[in-house]
Amino acid sequence: TIVAFAGPSGGGKSTIFQLLERFYQPTSGEIKVGDYNIDNVSLSSWRRQIGFVSQDSAIMAGTIRENLTYGLEETYTDEQLWHVLHLAYAEQFVSEMPQKLDTQVGERGVKVSGGQRQRLAIARAFLRDPKILMLDEATASLDSESEAMVQRALEKLMENRTTLVIAHRLSTVENADLIVVMDKGQIIEQGTHTELLDKHGVYYQLHQRNFEEN
C-alpha cells in the first residue's frame, strides 16, 4: 500500500515521519502496526524495518562500498552489492569509476552527481530490504533525465512494501492508495486523488496551484 502525505509547508508531514521513526514520542495516543504498539519493539529492531530516501540523501566521505553497507551488521559479497546497484540503475556509472566499489566519493559525495547520489541511496535501501519504505520526495531536486531514472528505481523498490511518501509535487502521488492532507498539525482530508479532487477542498486547491506552476 502507498500512503502519501500532502499539504502546505509546515503542516506536519515531516513530524509524522519523525514520530514513525521514533525520534521522539507522541505526547498522547499511540502508534500501532495492526494491533501492535511500536513502543513494544526495541528501537534498533524497529529502525531495521525502515528504509528512508530523502530529497538530499546523505553520502559520507568513504567508498561506494562503505556508503552502501553503512549501518548494516551483515557482510555482503561484491555480487550482492552489484545486484542492488543494478536494481537502482546505478550499476553503469559505478562500473565506470576508477576503483568501482572501492572508489572514494569525497566529502559529502562531491564526486557523484545529485541523481547518482539518489540512486546510491536507493541501492542502500534495496540492500536493507525494509518492510516499511519512507520517501521524502526523493526526486524533488533533480533534472528531468535523472528524475526519470530515479523514479523508475523507486517504483521497483516500492513493490510489495508498505510505502509512505511526503509529497511536495502532487503529480508524484496521484496513484497512491490513500492521500492524507495535513494542515497545522491536523489531518483535514483523506482519500484517493479522484475522491479529494471531487471534494473541492484543500487538496483540490493545492492541485490547482501545482498545475498552474507546472
Side-chain angles (χ1 to χ4, degrees):
T1 303
I2 301 170
V3 178
F5 296 90
S9 182
K13 303 182 293 292
S14 296
T15 303
I16 291 272
F17 268 33
Q18 288 162 0
L19 283 165
L20 289 170
E21 292 171 286
R22 290 169 62 184
F23 286 122
Y24 46 84
Q25 296 286 48
T27 50
S28 63
E30 49 192 7
I31 302 172
K32 291 182 173 182
V33 174
D35 295 326
Y36 204 80
N37 189 326
I38 66 171
D39 269 353
N40 296 329
V41 183
S42 76
L43 189 59
S44 61
S45 177
W46 173 248
R47 287 189 178 156
R48 274 200 298 272
Q49 316 299 320
I50 296 173
F52 181 61
V53 183
S54 68
Q55 290 180 56
D56 187 21
S57 294
I59 291 283
M60 308 174 302
T63 64
I64 299 279
R65 183 192 306 276
E66 287 164 344
N67 272 281
L68 290 176
T69 58
Y70 175 72
L72 300 174
E73 293 168 1
E74 297 85 348
T75 303
Y76 295 93
T77 64
D78 283 10
E79 188 179 3
Q80 287 172 301
L81 298 183
W82 282 115
H83 178 63
V84 295
L85 287 169
H86 171 73
L87 292 173
Y89 297 94
E91 182 180 30
Q92 183 177 345
F93 81 79
V94 174
S95 68
E96 291 169 354
M97 289 179 154
Q99 264 80 48
K100 299 184 169 50
L101 289 170
D102 295 311
T103 301
Q104 295 281 339
V105 295
E107 196 71 37
R108 295 177 65 89
V110 294
K111 294 182 182 175
V112 290
S113 70
Q116 290 171 339
R117 194 158 54 234
Q118 291 299 77
R119 281 178 279 154
L120 288 175
I122 293 165
R124 184 193 295 155
F126 269 117
L127 200 59
R128 290 181 78 90
D129 194 21
K131 291 186 171 61
I132 300 167
L133 180 62
M134 301 172 76
L135 306 175
D136 185 354
E137 198 64 287
T139 63
S141 55
L142 302 177
D143 61 70
S144 54
E145 188 181 344
S146 296
E147 180 180 8
M149 204 172 281
V150 169
Q151 194 60 48
R152 283 204 302 275
L154 286 172
E155 283 164 9
K156 206 184 286 186
L157 180 59
M158 287 158 70
E159 288 173 9
N160 302 316
R161 299 181 208 277
T162 297
T163 304
L164 308 173
V165 185
I166 291 179
H168 299 278
R169 289 179 297 177
L170 301 186
S171 58
T172 59
V173 296
E174 289 178 0
N175 297 322
D177 299 288
L178 176 68
I179 299 171
V180 176
V181 185
M182 300 190 68
D183 191 19
K184 297 175 183 159
Q186 302 290 322
I187 293 173
I188 52 174
E189 293 174 346
Q190 51 186 315
T192 64
H193 172 70
T194 307
E195 288 166 353
L196 290 171
L197 286 184
D198 288 345
K199 282 183 180 176
H200 284 252
V202 172
Y203 182 83
Y204 175 82
Q205 291 166 10
L206 287 168
H207 188 265
Q208 292 299 100
R209 204 176 306 147
N210 265 223
F211 187 73
E212 286 162 11
E213 287 170 2
N214 295 329

